[in-house]
Amino acid sequence: MSVARSVSPGGALLRTSRLFSLPAPIPPSPTDASNGHHGSLSATQSFPTHQIITTLASSRRRGDWGLKRPLPLWTTTKSTNAMLRVKQIDTIEDITDFSSATDQGLTLRKFQELHIPLTMPAENTPFDSPRASASSMNLPKRSVFEKDSDFTTLDSVNKTALKDKRWRFQGPWLAGMEPGQFAKWVAKRVRPRRPEFREFLKQKLAADMLQSTSQRAIDNGEPQPELESIVVSDEQLTEYLRRLRSNPKEIYEMVGQFLDLAPLATPQEVENNTGSGNPYSKNGPPVTHPSAGLSYLRTSEYLDNHPLYGPQASHPATLARVIRPRRQNLQVDAKLGLAGFVLDAPTGDTNSNHKFNLRQNPLSKLDVDLKGGAKIWVQPTQASINANGRVSMLAKDASYEEMLIAKEMVGEEKIFGEKPTEPEPEVPVSGTRETVKRQMARKYNPKGSSMSGAPQYGLDDGAFKF
Amino acid sequence: MIIRNIGLRHGRQVIAASASPSCCVRALSTSAAKSATTTPRAPTNVPSFFTTPEQRARQEAIKAEIDKVPDNFKEFRSIQKKTVKMGGETHPRHLPDEMLKYPPHDATLEMLMAAQAHMGHNTSLWNPANQRYIYGVREGIHIIALETIAAHLRRAAKVVEEVAYHGGLILFVGTRKGQTPIVVRAAELAGGCHLFQQWTPGTITNRDQILAQGKLRMVDELDRDVPGFDDHIQDCRPVIPDLVVCLNPLENYPMLHECGLANVPTIGIIDTNADPTWVTYQIPANDDSLRAMALIGAVLGRAGQRGQERRYADAEEGIISWETPSEVRRFVQNTLAAKAQEKKDQARESLEPDGGREMIESDADIKKAIKELTEEEGL
């Protein structure tokens, strides 16, 4: 046990202070413009790199954020939410370098309102096309916080044993390196470690030899040899090296262990789209923890309770913004914005993809006159973090009932205690176009006349109403 | 709390029996698979001629119960409002103006740290003369040792207290934005003066010109005006402070220089980029934070207040902690001598000789003489 260093009372106090407990900033995503990547410098970063700080309302009015100096009120009191990120407490220009952090702070809040857990990325598909995993969309994914995938502290033994499960590696992911980068890395980081690698191989060989000699000892009924008693001669090592060189797989294993390289998928695996080994072997390990700190939920398999209608089979529906409508002739798919993240529009046989909806569907038509843009009700299903630290989400269309209930909760609809406009003609068949049509007819034709024209979309509030 | 509402608040059964559309009433998870496949049924709207009178009565009762919800809620809120203070009161833990409203007598390490007094400047902006005050580097800035701040603040407080006790004039200077209430409050506590606008250069070295319009008072040990000194006041030079407390020395170099020329001691907040030799008594601290300034100003103001209180208490007992300035003493002597001469002349004229006065030496004699003077003038 190490003896605790004695510190002055003031020093001890400073160590426990909030300023000193601010975490150090993490490096930005490799694909961000702030990291030299091509793109907009003013765009929101893929993930926050600095701790977001806040202050009390009364202190914010005075500019007091607990920093060296009061911050200018002009820039810090405009926003509803007191959120800042401080890049430097004092610069040589005698100012505090800070910027508003409401972009990422509010995104976090919105994401946490969705109550969806972060799951392991789909192993067999490229990260950037969640569409590819649509077939397995209904299968529950494993949370990143499950015991068999969440490794944050590792010792040297675990490092090798958990090679196919962990997400953090000291070495790079070779498949993601440019040729120039690779050459530079080899020259600077790998070449100087040659003698160290020979020593490493020597130990491996010694362990191998120990195994064979101990087997021989067992067969002959002799005492077990010790590892120290094994002497590896230079000739033996050279012979071992020659043997390794003719076996690329084995030498890659050795080099990978020595440099702690992130695992690579074999060409066959990539070609056949089969998954084995590390879940990050095809797309590279993530730059952050696989949860990115966005959510600490382990599952979304719980029941929501509605104050009037009781337990619900599904979670409440959410409004998503239509960022880009579908353009059939250009083969461009629609994109949605949900809780600050961009995702693909739902696929499959769902409300927003029904043929009869297509004519005035906000997903297929851009309505520039609509205030606030078009929105549709969706049900987020899963989210995961890709290799660049970005969030990829999947959502499906909310059903008619889910949408009604969600709308009633925000006061846009009234179902409870409402008198139906006409008696029920017959028990409709589930989920068919006829059912929805009839329900719409009842809703929008109070007089009970036959349905005429298309359903209404894009009412004043910008919501997509059936 | 309200028993008659319990059915509404807990009653899924009640709701289930209501006119709500059954399509929205979902099953429990055990039957979720079934409910997912069943039709999203439209509201079960049984025509009114099918309902029995009992059912109708029951539905009406439920509707009446629901109609009462707003009133019940109002009542609930009013009761809540009345009973919210029962059992205990909550007080705001954080008062931004605490230092000005309730100035502390001493600053603890915790208070100094909370007031951000330890945060120095960027490490590349430092003045190496401040090395002795610096505890370390963190987040790119120098950290000033809290113990050093506390020790220097205590020393400065002692200086302020003794200057106040000896009847000195203390000037609090803080010319940065936001320091106005701090210096005003400190001066109010210590019975001194404050300056929150630019120091007019030459206010000490050229005071005969710059402060010519200023008014002077002659006061006794209890700070009461003493009459009979009008002639002397006309001849007096404007006063200079006996102690200057400066919250931002960097912007007030001309003032500190003049104080140095006039031998006026100064107390200054020295951040890591300031020159500690500009002031007589340094307080190493963060001069940018208004909270740190408020704390230090409050502690120094309190020290001045203690000094003044001690001075008044001693004066009540007849102990005068200050000496009469030599010019005043000379003026009193001269005036008394002139009066005596006048009396002598009058006595000689009336052939009634009167004894001359002895020269005045002690403060007690001056007091007596001043008393005589005031009595003669009929005051």
Side-chain angles (χ1 to χ4, degrees), chain A residues 50-125:
Chain A
H50 289 72
Q51 173 74 49
I52 297 176
I53 62 165
T54 185
T55 188
L56 301 168
S58 56
S59 298
R60 181 156 78 130
R61 266 205 313 279
R62 278 151 233 266
D64 179 16
W65 288 73
L67 300 170
K68 177 164 171 62
R69 55 175 66 81
L71 299 183
L73 302 183
W74 179 254
T75 43
T76 56
T77 52
K78 289 277 173 72
S79 169
T80 312
N81 300 285
M83 291 178 187
L84 284 189
R85 72 175 73 87
V86 179
K87 289 172 194 154
Q88 257 187 299
I89 292 173
D90 190 48
T91 58
I92 50 168
E93 294 89 7
D94 253 342
I95 51 158
T96 301
D97 189 3
F98 68 94
S99 59
S100 169
T102 42
D103 48 356
Q104 280 154 342
L106 284 186
T107 300
L108 176 70
R109 276 193 200 163
K110 287 189 281 185
F111 184 83
Q112 289 182 339
E113 264 182 38
L114 296 179
H115 296 295
I116 51 173
L118 281 148
T119 49
M120 293 297 286
E123 286 166 29
N124 302 338
T125 52

Side-chain angles (χ1 to χ4, degrees), chain B residues 84-85 88-93:
Chain B
V84 72
K85 286 193 173 175
E89 279 183 42
T90 53
H91 296 283
R93 301 265 315 267

Side-chain angles (χ1 to χ4, degrees), chain B residues 256-322:
Chain B
L256 296 172
H257 183 68
E258 282 178 41
C259 289
L261 294 177
N263 278 335
V264 176
T266 48
I267 294 174
I269 315 289
I270 299 298
D271 209 335
T272 57
N273 64 343
D275 188 345
T277 59
W278 287 2
V279 294
T280 323
Y281 301 100
Q282 299 86 8
I283 305 174
N286 172 15
D287 64 353
D288 295 288
S289 164
L290 289 178
R291 270 172 78 182
M293 289 304 95
L295 174 60
I296 290 171
V299 168
L300 296 182
R302 275 284 196 213
Q305 192 188 27
R306 284 198 304 274
Q308 300 285 15
E309 278 167 5
R310 267 175 57 210
R311 181 165 71 86
Y312 285 127
D314 281 1
E316 292 286 355
E317 289 173 14
I319 305 164
I320 302 170
S321 54
W322 43 273

Side-chain angles (χ1 to χ4, degrees), chain A residues 116-169:
Chain A
I116 51 173
L118 281 148
T119 49
M120 293 297 286
E123 286 166 29
N124 302 338
T125 52
F127 281 98
D128 295 328
S129 67
R131 180 61 53 84
S133 62
S135 56
S136 58
M137 205 159 72
N138 296 327
L139 294 175
K141 292 275 186 298
R142 286 186 73 76
S143 160
V144 291
F145 293 109
E146 292 301 332
K147 245 184 185 174
D148 55 5
S149 53
D150 187 26
F151 300 103
T152 46
T153 51
L154 291 163
D155 51 27
S156 57
V157 180
N158 269 347
K159 250 184 187 174
T160 323
L162 299 173
K163 179 174 65 81
D164 283 342
K165 289 181 173 176
R166 63 201 170 101
W167 55 272
R168 179 179 273 174
F169 300 90

